[in-house]
Amino acid sequence: MGVAEEYFMREALALAAQAEALGEVPVGAVVVKDNIIIGRGFNQPISAHDPTAHAEVVAMRDAAAKTGNYRLMGCDLYATLEPCAMCVGAILHARIGRVIFGAADPKTGACGGVIDLLGEPRLNHHATVVRGVLAAESGGMLSAFFCQRRQGSS
C-alpha cells in the first residue's frame, strides 16, 4: 500500500464518519485525479430520501459537477467498502480507471465479493481494482456501527 493510497483512504474514512454521525451506514468515498481530490461523498440514502445516494455515487456526482463532465477518465475512486452493483454500474459509465476499496463486502460487493463486474470481459469498460487498503479500519467502523445498531434494537 502506497502513501497516497493510505492518505486518500483516510479521507474517505473521515467522510464515512460524517455518514455515521447522521445515522447512515458509515461509508465514504473520494474521486482523485492527478493526486487531487475532486469529488467527495458519504452514504446518505436515508437522509436524502434517495436509494442511489451511496458514497461512491455522491462522490462521482461531485467530481462530475466540478469538472463539467460525466466522464471521469483518468480518475481513481477510493471507497471504504467494496462497491455494490449499482455503484459499479456508475463507475463503468463514468470511465473511472481505478477503484480502491477498504473492506470487502461478501453480501453485495460487485468487485469480487459476490460478483466481479469490473472484470466482466463482455462489458465495454474495465477498471483496475485494488482491494484491502485500510481494510481493518474500514471494516472496524462498519462492524462497530452494526453492533451498536443491534444493541440499540434489543
Side-chain angles (χ1 to χ4, degrees), residues 34-135:
D34 299 325
N35 284 320
I36 297 169
I37 296 174
I38 62 167
R40 297 174 187 273
F42 56 83
N43 264 9
Q44 45 195 294
I46 298 166
S47 56
H49 311 291
D50 179 357
T52 69
H54 288 194
E56 301 92 328
V57 171
V58 174
M60 286 186 284
R61 285 176 181 159
D62 187 35
K66 286 179 179 159
T67 62
N69 193 340
Y70 75 102
R71 297 280 197 216
L72 298 171
M73 291 184 282
C75 292
D76 297 338
L77 184 136
Y78 289 78
T80 59
L81 180 65
E82 179 180 356
C84 71
M86 175 188 70
C87 292
V88 170
I91 287 164
L92 290 169
H93 287 290
R95 303 294 194 262
I96 295 284
R98 201 166 68 120
V99 175
I100 303 93
F101 69 83
D105 187 345
K107 293 183 179 181
T108 65
C111 299
V114 173
I115 190 168
D116 185 7
L117 289 177
L118 291 174
E120 172 54 54
R122 294 173 291 181
L123 294 174
N124 67 338
H125 177 72
H126 301 94
T128 302
V129 177
V130 178
R131 296 167 173 83
V133 175
L134 299 182

Side-chain angles (χ1 to χ4, degrees), residues 135-150:
E137 290 91 331
S138 297
M141 182 181 279
L142 287 158
S143 294
F145 175 81
F146 286 114
C147 182
Q148 185 177 13
R149 273 240 171 122
R150 283 189 295 276

